[in-house]
Amino acid sequence: MVIALVLVPALSEAFTGPTGESQVSVRALATAIVLTLGKIGMFIALMLIIGRRLIPWTLNMVSKAASRELFTLAILTIALGVAFGSAELFDASFALGAFFAGLILSESKISHKVAAIPFR
C-alpha cells in the first residue's frame, strides 16, 4: 500500500505531462517509476541506517537531562523534521515521513517514555 501511495502522484504527473494534456509515454512512465522508487529507496535506507542509530542516541541524551519539556520538544522536532525532510528532499508525502519517524521512535529503548506523553 505504501508503494501505491508513493507511485500515484508520480504516475499522475507522467500521464498528464508538463502541458496538462493527457499523454502517455512509456519512457516518461518508466522514468517516473524508477525515479520515485529510487528516491523512496534512498529515504528508507537513510532511515534504517542513520535513523536507527541517530534518533535513539539523541533521545537517550535528551532523556538524561531529566526535563519532560525538552524530551517532548525533541520528539516533536524529530517527528516533524523527518516528515518535512521526506517531503522536501525525497518527494515523499509528509505522512509517510511521519510514519517512518514513528516507527523509529517506537523501536528505541525508551519508547515507553515516548508513548507516555499525551499528544493532543
Side-chain angles (χ1 to χ4, degrees):
M1 194 62 186
V2 172
I3 293 173
L5 288 172
V6 169
L7 286 178
V8 167
L11 293 177
S12 70
E13 289 177 16
F15 279 118
T16 56
T19 60
E21 298 175 6
S22 179
Q23 59 183 2
V24 178
S25 168
V26 175
R27 185 178 194 148
L29 191 61
T31 303
I33 290 172
V34 168
L35 284 175
T36 302
L37 290 178
K39 287 179 183 179
I40 296 303
M42 288 185 341
F43 172 66
I44 291 172
L46 186 71
M47 286 303 296
L48 290 176
I49 295 169
I50 295 175
R52 278 194 170 179
R53 294 184 180 160
L54 183 67
I55 291 174
W57 179 82
T58 304
L59 287 177
N60 194 16
M61 290 302 194
V62 170
S63 71
K64 287 181 182 179
S67 172
R68 185 175 178 163
E69 292 83 14
L70 184 62
F71 189 70
T72 304
L73 180 64
I75 291 170
L76 288 173
T77 302
I78 289 170
L80 292 174
V82 169
F84 183 76
S86 71
E88 290 297 315
L89 299 175
F90 298 103
D91 294 330
S93 68
F94 197 83
L96 183 64
F99 173 72
F100 274 102
L103 284 177
I104 297 297
L105 286 171
S106 71
E107 289 183 4
S108 68
K109 291 181 182 178
I110 55 174
S111 64
H112 61 282
K113 288 183 181 179
V114 175
I117 296 174
F119 292 108
R120 296 177 203 185

